[in-house]
Amino acid sequence: MLQLVNKAQQYAEKIAIVDGSGSYTFQQLLDKSQEVAAFLLQGQTDLKQSRVAFMVSPGFNYTAVQWGIWRAGGIAVPLCITYPFPSLEYVIEDTGAEFILTGPEYGEVLSPYKNHSSKKLISLEEIKATDSSTLPAIKTDRGAMILYTSGTTSLPKGVLTTHDNIQNQVSTLVKAWQWSSEDYTLGILPLHHVHGIINVMSCALWAGATIEFLHPFSASRVFEIFEEGKVNVFMAVPTIYFKLISQFESYPEAHRKALTERMQRFRLMVSGSAALPVSVMEKWKTISGHYLLERYGMTEIGMAISNPYSGERKAGHIGQPLPGVEVRLVDENNQEVAAGEPGEIQIKGPSVFKEYWGKEEATAKAFTEDGWFKTGDIAQVDEGYYRILGRDSIDIIKSGGYKISALEIEEILRKYPEIKDCGVVGVPDEEWGEIVVAALVADSSLDSSKLNAWLRERMPAYKTPRKYIFLEDLPRNAMGKVTKNELKKLF
Ligand code: MCA
Ligand code: AMP
């Protein structure tokens, strides 16, 4: 993403980032990222795509570290800041990261990597200005970032994108949604996923706009920042819009009126990462004056389909293919379906990722022989607008905008001594889209609060089941396979 770094020079004296510690110009971002790069290089000329994992809170330091890794020739591996150690360890080991950079607040959780034989754990405080070394020239077809995504396998997969892929993802959105250096956006989304990293942070910085980070998310703080009058572009997942609506409704009328007037002046409000319920879209229109622009994307492809910036935005629909993105709908034999018929969304284009890190077979399986990426999402086209109908796998759950694998949770649950068998599914929920629930075949002595505490040491809160039922056996078909549709009905 070196084009992002080059572009920053045009806006040197402008404010790029605002966070809890202050405001920072693009020049400061260039200087700090140069320091990080020089520190990582330690006299070498190029990190040569070595993986650098980093656990840093959203803000100036996060961006400086990410750009520093890129400028030194490394592959950036952002770690989720709410992961417990086993989930972090999985990502660090799977990528074979050589460096682990950490904000001081995460030193403790990463402490098992202190004095490690082959990995260097570096606290941000150790990075000091060194004599600036010459930074390498980097070919844009090299790997830039690995983000983890859950899928139909029990272990998450690392999605490797190149600088070219990311540059395409960002430049397409900047153009389609008309980002400019006059814009000011609020960063509230986690920075280990495409939505927060690409659509919000990188698009803003590419255009010379300002991003203010708010961390952790708080609906009342979002509205306080809106009231300050600087934000004009806002992007979030449906769960966040749901939470903002309920916060808004708790305010007295005069406050609501003032907020509505403020939001009407925004240039753009976007929703994505999960289906936007029509009820949320309509309520948001009443309180903000905005028809949310809903779009569709995936970690492997960036954004692919979007409602128009200018023109009709259709509730319940994800819009039309973005420029440069080829989209087709196919049946089980990879044959295009007739107009208006449902089919799997398949994608081609320069934004599509390079490979699943270290998983050649999974990469090969994800593409058709003629190079189309198989999303697993089922859609149909109504009057030119795509509409998502569901997924081809019941084992993928979307909760709060996060993609969660039922198989991954089951595998961990089965390790709990009192659990003999289990089945995890997602059930519809107004606020979260879906919530994770689990059916357990277990000893009667099982205490679910103890189980929850045990799980929290092994997975982040957003993956933990919210409800349990206890069964003698799981519903199965004649072949003995668990019938998840039947299981869902039991909730
Ligand atoms: C947290 N809680 C939940 C869930 N998550 N309950 C049910 N289901 C969940 N999924 C509970 C917690 O256990 C806690 O309860 C309480 O909610 C508050 O938890 P906390 O973590 O503080 O939640 P939050 O900060 O309010 O988080 C909600 C959130 C967050 C801000 C909506 O989930 C979020 O940032 N989602 C965005 C994810 C995202 O960026 N996805 C993009 C993926 P208790 O205290 O009782 O334990 S990229 C992508 O999908 C593609 C490319 C795309 O198209 O964008
Ligand atoms: P992730 O793997 O976390 O990048 O999540 C990508 C998945 O999120 C897609 O495959 C879709 O299932 C889902 N998704 C993203 N945007 C939308 C949307 N606007 N409507 C419905 N589902 C969406």
Side-chain angles (χ1 to χ4, degrees), residues 190 193-195 273 295 297-298 398-402 432 456 466:
H193 281 306
V194 161
H195 199 164
S273 301
R295 64 22 170 215
M298 198 170 176
K398 264 270 163 169
S399 187
Y402 284 111
W432 299 97
R456 292 284 174 102
R466 300 285 144 184

Side-chain angles (χ1 to χ4, degrees), residues 2 5-6 9 29-48 64-74 130-139 142:
L2 295 143
V5 176
N6 294 338
Q9 283 151 10
L29 195 48
L30 287 168
D31 293 345
K32 185 73 192 172
S33 58
Q34 161 95 28
E35 258 176 41
V36 173
F39 187 90
L40 288 171
L41 284 166
Q42 306 266 352
Q44 293 176 72
T45 52
D46 186 337
L47 286 187
K48 297 187 183 150
V65 166
Q66 185 193 50
W67 286 24
I69 297 167
W70 285 335
R71 296 180 78 185
T130 48
D131 290 341
S132 62
S133 53
T134 315
L135 300 181
I138 288 153
K139 284 201 172 151
R142 279 175 44 164

Side-chain angles (χ1 to χ4, degrees), residues 149-150 193-194 271-276 294-300 318 375 377 388 391 398 401-403:
T149 184
S150 296
H193 281 306
V194 161
S271 173
S273 301
L276 175 66
E294 183 172 11
R295 64 22 170 215
Y296 161 87
M298 198 170 176
T299 306
E300 289 88 334
I318 53 173
T375 65
D377 290 307
I388 299 273
R391 288 196 57 90
K398 264 270 163 169
Y402 284 111
K403 194 191 218 183

Side-chain angles (χ1 to χ4, degrees), residues 38-92:
F39 187 90
L40 288 171
L41 284 166
Q42 306 266 352
Q44 293 176 72
T45 52
D46 186 337
L47 286 187
K48 297 187 183 150
Q49 304 187 69
S50 180
R51 277 74 59 210
V52 183
F54 63 109
M55 191 164 183
V56 180
S57 296
F60 174 71
N61 282 333
Y62 175 99
T63 319
V65 166
Q66 185 193 50
W67 286 24
I69 297 167
W70 285 335
R71 296 180 78 185
I75 296 181
V77 183
L79 298 170
C80 171
I81 56 175
T82 60
Y83 272 6
F85 184 72
S87 316
L88 296 168
E89 186 184 26
Y90 174 73
V91 172
I92 291 167

Side-chain angles (χ1 to χ4, degrees), residues 199-429:
N199 299 23
V200 185
M201 185 178 79
S202 303
C203 283
L205 298 175
W206 179 283
T210 302
I211 175 164
E212 176 167 345
F213 286 103
L214 168 65
H215 166 74
F217 169 74
S218 143
S220 60
R221 278 294 295 138
V222 168
F223 283 127
E224 280 165 25
I225 295 171
F226 283 1
E227 283 177 278
E228 289 166 14
K230 288 186 238 154
V231 176
N232 74 333
V233 175
F234 183 69
M235 300 186 191
V237 299
T239 301
I240 290 182
Y241 285 106
F242 183 96
K243 286 175 183 282
L244 290 174
I245 290 167
S246 83
Q247 179 70 30
F248 181 92
E249 287 173 346
S250 73
Y251 293 140
E253 194 176 335
H255 189 182
R256 281 189 275 178
K257 202 160 165 265
L259 262 176
T260 298
E261 280 169 12
R262 188 55 81 192
M263 289 191 282
Q264 279 167 344
R265 289 187 229 157
F266 281 33
R267 182 176 74 72
L268 174 65
M269 289 180 156
V270 178
S271 173
S273 301
L276 175 66
V278 174
S279 59
V280 172
M281 184 170 186
E282 283 170 352
K283 265 199 188 145
W284 192 256
K285 166 82 175 85
T286 321
I287 73 170
S288 73
H290 284 264
Y291 271 110
L292 288 170
L293 184 160
E294 183 172 11
R295 64 22 170 215
Y296 161 87
M298 198 170 176
T299 306
E300 289 88 334
I301 58 175
M303 296 304 111
I305 303 176
S306 170
N307 270 283
Y309 180 74
S310 314
E312 191 192 355
R313 297 179 191 166
K314 263 198 174 178
H317 292 72
I318 53 173
Q320 289 128 0
L322 281 159
V325 182
E326 281 184 77
V327 180
R328 67 176 195 181
L329 296 183
V330 300
D331 61 20
E332 316 69 71
N333 302 315
N334 290 324
Q335 297 302 309
E336 277 195 63
V337 298
E341 291 300 310
E344 183 197 29
I345 304 179
Q346 296 193 340
I347 304 285
K348 245 189 203 180
S351 296
V352 176
F353 77 124
K354 185 168 182 216
E355 64 192 35
Y356 291 118
W357 181 258
K359 293 188 167 56
E360 221 173 294
E361 206 178 310
T363 306
K365 263 177 78 179
F367 289 87
T368 62
E369 279 172 8
D370 49 350
W372 290 87
F373 173 70
K374 306 189 239 175
T375 65
D377 290 307
I378 310 299
Q380 72 180 39
V381 181
D382 302 335
E383 294 163 12
Y385 285 69
Y386 283 73
R387 183 159 67 93
I388 299 273
L389 302 172
R391 288 196 57 90
D392 65 0
S393 166
I394 197 165
D395 286 320
I396 289 179
I397 302 166
K398 264 270 163 169
S399 187
Y402 284 111
K403 194 191 218 183
I404 298 167
S405 160
L407 304 178
E408 182 186 336
I409 318 266
E410 287 165 6
E411 189 131 315
I412 296 177
L413 280 170
R414 284 198 196 98
K415 295 196 174 114
Y416 194 69
E418 288 158 279
I419 295 178
K420 295 184 191 117
D421 203 356
C422 63
V424 168
V425 287
V427 293
D429 181 83

Side-chain angles (χ1 to χ4, degrees), residues 163-183:
H163 291 280
D164 277 333
N165 294 149
I166 304 181
Q167 277 164 198
N168 261 293
Q169 293 179 5
V170 173
S171 58
T172 302
L173 288 187
V174 166
K175 212 162 163 204
W177 297 345
Q178 299 186 18
W179 278 95
S180 87
S181 60
E182 302 294 303
D183 288 328

